[in-house]
Amino acid sequence: MSVKFLVPEIDKDRWAKEFKEELRICKLKSKDLSDIGAETNYEQKITKFKNGSIPSIDCFLTLCRFFNLPPDSFLFAKPKWVECDIDIADTGVSSNRLLGVYKDIFYVIPDYKEKKSDRKHERGRIYELTFMEKEPSPSKFSTFHLYGTNYDLNERVVEGKIIYRFPYVNNEKTSKKIFSLLKKNNFTSQQIQALLEISPQSLTNRKRQKQAWTIKDIYKLSWILNMPFESLVEIDYREETRESLFDPIVYIMHYQEAEEEKD
């Protein structure tokens, strides 16, 4: 059967706007970020981020932690329908994600509110089909898939300095995890190539760890598999102790736990 999955492209303009807004809130300039992260961030590179350039996945995850933002809400989507031939009843797609049918094509969207305990889907069975009169606009779902992340930050202060935990993506473990999830949900290589819009060789390179998964790949897979961005990657950390780049007020907002109100 033909199925169209809602798949996101990254809205580079909105990413740039959000990135600049975070810098403004924290009163930081490009040069202030030049020495944080899992890789060297030259001032020119930070400036490119302001203009819509997408960072490497390691740098991006570092920025997420630095600004205390979940990856899924730091990125903004330009969603679109991507079609592939798949038997939806044999996948892990639940009935909650089935938007409906239009011209014999099934439309699947992410459902970030879904919990495993709430699933009514059983393999081989589809519930409550809705037959649509026209194809729904993907733009109406542009902010539909926002998970959020509860970071295990472990930031703590030592003599006025903060211990930062810089993330590194373990490409080997990440690749094994992704292919295990795809197999578990019965996606074939051909279907993933179609949904991610990559070549067979690119997928093979990722499987053999010759090519790393990108932010673009992980973002699409998070919608296809209905999982938070960071649930798809395996992360290693390196701890460093540095002086905070934040002014005292912003520092308290980001890193100090709020005191419980006394009775």
Side-chain angles (χ1 to χ4, degrees):
M1 65 179 68
S2 291
V3 178
K4 286 190 177 182
F5 281 79
L6 190 69
V7 177
E9 294 289 352
I10 297 173
D11 189 331
K12 293 183 178 180
D13 292 335
R14 292 192 66 187
W15 148 257
K17 183 179 179 180
E18 179 70 9
F19 180 69
K20 287 186 288 189
E21 177 63 12
E22 289 301 316
L23 291 178
R24 185 193 67 79
I25 292 172
C26 296
K27 300 179 181 178
L28 296 173
K29 297 181 180 179
S30 297
K31 63 180 180 180
D32 295 326
L33 293 181
S34 61
D35 66 343
I36 74 161
E39 59 183 34
T40 302
N41 290 310
Y42 300 105
E43 187 175 347
Q44 294 89 337
K45 187 185 294 186
I46 302 297
T47 299
K48 288 182 179 180
F49 298 163
K50 293 180 180 179
N51 294 324
S53 176
I54 303 299
S56 71
I57 193 166
D58 291 331
C59 178
F60 172 67
L61 291 175
T62 297
L63 292 171
C64 289
R65 280 163 172 70
F66 190 77
F67 294 125
N68 202 23
L69 289 172
D72 302 284
S73 60
F74 203 4
L75 294 174
F76 294 89
K78 286 184 176 179
K80 61 183 180 181
W81 297 115
V82 178
E83 186 173 355
C84 72
D85 187 21
I86 188 171
D87 189 346
I88 195 171
D90 288 336
T91 70
V93 174
S94 72
S95 59
N96 292 342
R97 297 183 58 195
L98 188 60
L99 185 65
V101 181
Y102 173 66
K103 291 186 176 180
D104 296 325
I105 298 176
F106 292 81
Y107 285 75
V108 175
I109 58 176
D111 178 15
Y112 72 98
K113 295 179 181 178
E114 178 187 281
K115 297 179 181 178
K116 289 183 179 180
S117 60
D118 296 333
R119 291 182 179 176
K120 300 178 181 179
H121 174 79
E122 295 177 5
R123 291 185 185 275
R125 186 177 179 187
I126 301 294
Y127 291 81
E128 299 179 3
L129 283 181
T130 299
F131 292 90
M132 301 178 292
E133 296 181 355
K134 62 179 182 179
E135 182 175 79
S137 171
S139 62
K140 69 183 292 186
F141 304 104
S142 61
T143 58
F144 191 70
H145 184 68
L146 298 178
Y147 273 100
T149 300
N150 294 321
Y151 288 135
D152 178 19
L153 288 173
N154 288 333
E155 263 82 14
R156 51 192 182 275
V157 179
V158 178
E159 295 181 354
K161 296 184 178 181
I162 298 175
I163 296 178
Y164 290 98
R165 301 181 74 220
F166 292 139
Y168 288 85
V169 174
N170 187 314
N171 291 319
E172 181 178 355
K173 290 182 179 179
T174 295
S175 190
K176 288 181 179 179
K177 183 174 189 177
I178 288 174
F179 281 103
S180 176
L181 287 168
L182 294 175
K183 182 179 180 180
K184 180 180 179 181
N185 287 278
N186 293 330
F187 283 101
T188 67
S189 296
Q190 291 76 16
Q191 290 161 353
I192 291 302
Q193 290 161 24
L195 290 171
L196 297 183
E197 299 175 297
I198 59 177
S199 68
Q201 188 60 52
S202 293
L203 188 63
T204 298
N205 288 343
R206 286 163 171 78
K207 193 168 188 177
R208 295 176 178 174
Q209 289 95 51
K210 292 183 178 181
Q211 184 175 350
W213 293 93
T214 65
I215 290 180
K216 182 178 179 180
D217 297 331
I218 302 298
Y219 197 36
K220 288 182 176 182
L221 284 169
S222 72
W223 286 44
I224 294 166
L225 295 173
N226 200 53
M227 295 177 64
F229 187 101
E230 288 200 332
S231 296
L232 291 167
V233 294
E234 291 292 328
I235 301 174
D236 297 328
Y237 295 92
R238 183 190 72 224
E239 289 192 353
E240 291 188 15
T241 304
R242 303 187 181 185
E243 292 182 1
S244 174
L245 296 177
F246 296 117
D247 68 30
I249 295 178
V250 176
Y251 166 75
I252 291 172
M253 290 171 58
H254 278 253
Y255 292 104
Q256 293 286 70
E257 294 184 1
E259 294 184 3
E260 296 183 2
E261 293 185 6
K262 296 181 180 179
D263 295 332

